[in-house]
């Protein structure tokens, strides 16, 4: 459409009103392309494909720190940094981390957050902890953020736990059985 409109525009130099309308249509096209790019990168952040999960998490933490002033720390040992988890698991972990960090910013009133990864034999544990106000953990989550996290974890064969008490911060921990099999090759 942009190409065709540009073609028309070059040939309609005489009529200012017509030109104005073509320019407006071109602008709508440019806006739509931008929106499409944003939606695509929201569905699957490019950084996951290009740099892998660990670098994507690092940049998510940096962005969060830059935007909110929350001090963010990533702990990721070299043995874990060498592992790829596979496409579905990486996107699920990334989305869970996004939701946890959004919750920390919206609800926790925290000053610091730590994302710690740890190998437990062949299992992988990822923990996100904040030093904020904490909460009473619902026995059965009914709100979409927490529910979504549990569902994403289950979908990739993992287990998600929430530990929190009022005044004592919140820790979300995700355990992925046998995620570290195969090392860097996966
Ligand atoms: N890190 C946290 N510190 C304190 N309270 C939290 C934290 N994370 C979640 N909560 C509490 O748990 C509730 C449920 O979280 P959940 O993410 O499910 O919903 P939400 O963030 O309110 O809405 P949304 O559906 O947009 O995610 C929050 O409303 C908040 O009260
Ligand atoms: Mg939420």
């Amino acid at each position: 459409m942009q190409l065709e409109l540009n073609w028309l525009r070059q040939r309609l130099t005489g009529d200012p009103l017509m030109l104005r309308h073509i320019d407006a249509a071109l602008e709508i096209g440019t806006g739509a392309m931008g929106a499409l790019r944003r939606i695509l990168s929201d569905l699957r952040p490019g950084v996951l494909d290009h740099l892998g999960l660990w670098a994507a998490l690092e940049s998510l933490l940096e962005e969060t720190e830059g935007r909110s002033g929350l001090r963010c720390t990533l702990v990721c040992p070299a043995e874990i940094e060498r592992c790829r988890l596979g496409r579905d698991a990486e996107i699920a972990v990334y989305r869970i981390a996004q939701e946890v960090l959004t919750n920390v910013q919206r609800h926790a009133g925290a000053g610091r957050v730590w994302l710690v990864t740890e190998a437990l034999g062949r299992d992988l544990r990822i923990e996100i902890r904040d030093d904020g106000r904490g909460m009473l953990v619902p026995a059965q989550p009914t709100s979409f953020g927490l529910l979504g996290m549990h569902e994403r974890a289950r979908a990739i064969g993992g287990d998600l736990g929430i530990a929190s008490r009022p005044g004592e911060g919140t820790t979300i921990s995700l355990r992925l059985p046998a995620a570290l099999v195969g090392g860097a090759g996966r």
Side-chain angles (χ1 to χ4, degrees), residues 81-136:
E81 217 171 331
R82 281 194 294 271
C83 293
R84 296 296 304 256
L85 304 184
R87 202 185 148 85
D88 293 349
E90 292 202 348
I91 187 118
V93 170
Y94 187 80
R95 292 293 181 221
I96 290 171
Q98 267 183 325
E99 172 59 23
V100 173
L101 290 171
T102 304
N103 275 353
V104 173
Q105 291 168 74
R106 283 177 60 196
H107 308 299
R112 296 203 62 178
V113 58
W114 295 263
L115 193 161
V116 179
T117 63
E118 189 187 1
L120 302 166
R122 293 155 54 198
D123 294 2
L124 170 66
R125 183 160 69 195
I126 301 172
E127 218 174 67
I128 309 179
R129 177 161 62 91
D130 71 62
D131 65 354
R133 68 174 58 92
M135 62 172 155
L136 284 171

Side-chain angles (χ1 to χ4, degrees), residues 126-181:
I126 301 172
E127 218 174 67
I128 309 179
R129 177 161 62 91
D130 71 62
D131 65 354
R133 68 174 58 92
M135 62 172 155
L136 284 171
V137 180
Q140 206 66 51
T142 49
S143 51
F144 288 117
L146 298 180
L147 261 180
M149 282 195 259
H150 278 100
E151 275 166 14
R152 284 185 199 278
R154 217 174 307 126
I156 56 168
D159 204 24
L160 187 121
I162 305 174
S164 186
R165 275 223 296 263
E168 293 183 15
T170 299
T171 302
I172 308 287
S173 73
L174 171 66
R175 186 168 177 141
L176 295 176
L180 300 177
V181 177

